[in-house]
């Protein structure tokens, strides 16, 4: 009798009517599916943005390290040939300044493919091979000329200046290509940048 009285109440009848009028697909399945899809898209977007940021940071470290080596070469060459210098080495000695940049490059050659493109790491490896050859050649010259340097210190300065200038030139040779490869992998439009570069070169580099 109690059940009959409950079900006879208008409010309860309205609730029962609404329950039986629910369309499982339209009213339940579709909203849940839409919510799950939205969550999946948001999660995927978050992961993609995080990976992009990590890639950007890795590329930035490498390119800045090459710029550091270029800067070192330019400063050392300028100093050897008595040209104006800035002599700013981030609070480090020139050798430590150079070494920290070189360490970053070697590290990225070894494990950089986790984030960096294969083309980028391949060109980076070529850059370091050429840099290593130049360093080795400079060390050989220093060893062979050690006794000469004892009597002619200016010769040591000139040879060091030549080595520094060649180091700068090697960085200049590879840096534009590496920047372009980094921009391509990061999805940054390179077409308009190429056009701007050509316009700039025609206007200011005649």
């Amino acid at each position: 009798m109690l059940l009959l009285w409950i079900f006879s109440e208008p409010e309860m009848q309205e609730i029962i009517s609404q329950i039986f009028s629910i369309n499982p697909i339209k009213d339940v399945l579709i909203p849940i599916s839409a919510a799950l899809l939205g969550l999946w898209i948001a999660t995927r977007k978050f992961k993609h943005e995080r990976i992009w940021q990590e890639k950007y940071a890795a590329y930035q470290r490498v390119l800045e390290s090459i710029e550091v080596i270029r800067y070192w070469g330019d400063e050392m060459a300028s100093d050897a040939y008595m040209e104006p210098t800035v002599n700013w080495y981030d609070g480090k000695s020139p050798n430590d300044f150079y070494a920290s940049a070189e360490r970053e490059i070697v590290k990225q050659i070894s494990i950089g493919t986790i984030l960096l493109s294969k083309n980028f790491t391949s060109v980076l490896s070529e850059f370091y091979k050429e840099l290593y050859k130049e360093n080795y050649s400079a060390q050989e010259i220093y060893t062979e000329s050690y006794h000469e340097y004892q009597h002619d210190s200016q010769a040591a300065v000139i040879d060091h200046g030549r080595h520094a200038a060649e180091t700068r030139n090697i960085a200049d040779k590879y840096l534009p290509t590496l920047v372009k490869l980094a921009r391509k992998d990061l999805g940054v439009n390179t077409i308009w940048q190429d056009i701007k570069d050509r316009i700039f070169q025609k206007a200011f580099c005649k």
Side-chain angles (χ1 to χ4, degrees), residues 1 21 39 51 64 70 80 83 89 115 126 133 141 152 161 163 165 169 179 183 200 205:
M1 294 296 291
S21 67
L39 178 63
I51 291 173
E64 285 180 350
R70 188 210 175 280
E83 296 175 354
Y89 298 104
L115 292 171
E126 290 300 316
K133 288 179 181 178
I141 292 173
D152 185 2
H163 164 60
N169 294 341
V179 169
R183 289 173 61 86
F200 179 84
C205 303

Side-chain angles (χ1 to χ4, degrees), residues 7-205:
F7 286 114
S8 66
E9 288 295 313
E11 294 84 358
M12 197 63 191
Q13 289 179 359
E14 180 66 22
I15 293 173
I16 294 171
S17 175
Q18 290 178 2
I19 292 174
F20 282 101
S21 67
I22 291 175
N23 185 323
I25 296 177
K26 178 182 177 182
D27 299 331
V28 179
L29 187 59
I30 292 178
I32 292 176
S33 299
L36 291 174
L37 180 61
L39 178 63
W40 180 79
I41 292 173
T43 303
R44 185 178 177 84
K45 182 180 179 182
F46 173 77
K47 289 181 178 179
H48 177 76
E49 290 177 350
R50 184 172 180 180
I51 291 173
W52 189 92
Q53 290 172 355
E54 290 177 356
K55 285 167 71 75
Y56 178 87
Y59 278 119
Q60 186 178 36
R61 288 194 301 271
V62 174
L63 295 174
E64 285 180 350
S65 295
I66 297 173
E67 192 281 328
V68 162
I69 288 175
R70 188 210 175 280
Y71 172 81
W72 176 91
D74 194 49
E75 286 289 287
M76 292 292 104
S78 296
D79 188 57
Y81 298 115
M82 302 180 69
E83 296 175 354
T85 59
V86 178
N87 288 327
W88 184 86
Y89 298 104
D90 196 21
K92 303 174 183 176
S93 69
N95 288 340
D96 288 342
F97 186 69
Y98 180 99
S100 61
E102 185 178 21
R103 175 69 188 104
E104 178 66 30
I105 291 169
V106 172
K107 181 175 70 174
Q108 293 301 337
I109 290 173
S110 301
I111 63 173
T113 49
I114 296 174
L115 292 171
L116 310 180
S117 72
K118 290 183 178 180
N119 288 339
F120 184 92
T121 53
S122 177
V123 175
L124 183 64
S125 180
E126 290 300 316
F127 161 74
Y128 186 69
K129 285 178 183 177
E130 195 163 338
L131 189 68
Y132 180 84
K133 288 179 181 178
E134 171 55 33
N135 290 337
Y136 185 82
S137 175
Q139 185 61 41
E140 280 193 324
I141 292 173
Y142 177 82
T143 302
E144 293 171 359
S145 306
Y146 177 77
H147 294 293
E148 178 187 347
Y149 292 160
Q150 303 303 308
H151 304 286
D152 185 2
S153 60
Q154 188 60 29
V157 172
I158 292 174
D159 283 345
H160 184 67
R162 181 212 59 79
H163 164 60
E166 185 58 28
T167 298
R168 177 197 60 205
N169 294 341
I170 293 170
D172 282 339
K173 175 182 175 181
Y174 284 91
L175 194 54
T177 300
L178 288 167
V179 169
K180 187 174 290 186
L181 289 172
R183 289 173 61 86
K184 181 179 180 180
D185 189 38
L186 290 169
V188 179
N189 192 346
T190 59
I191 296 176
W192 287 110
Q193 187 63 39
D194 289 342
I195 293 173
K196 290 178 184 178
D197 290 343
R198 289 182 189 135
I199 292 173
F200 179 84
Q201 288 174 357
K202 288 180 180 179
F204 301 102
C205 303

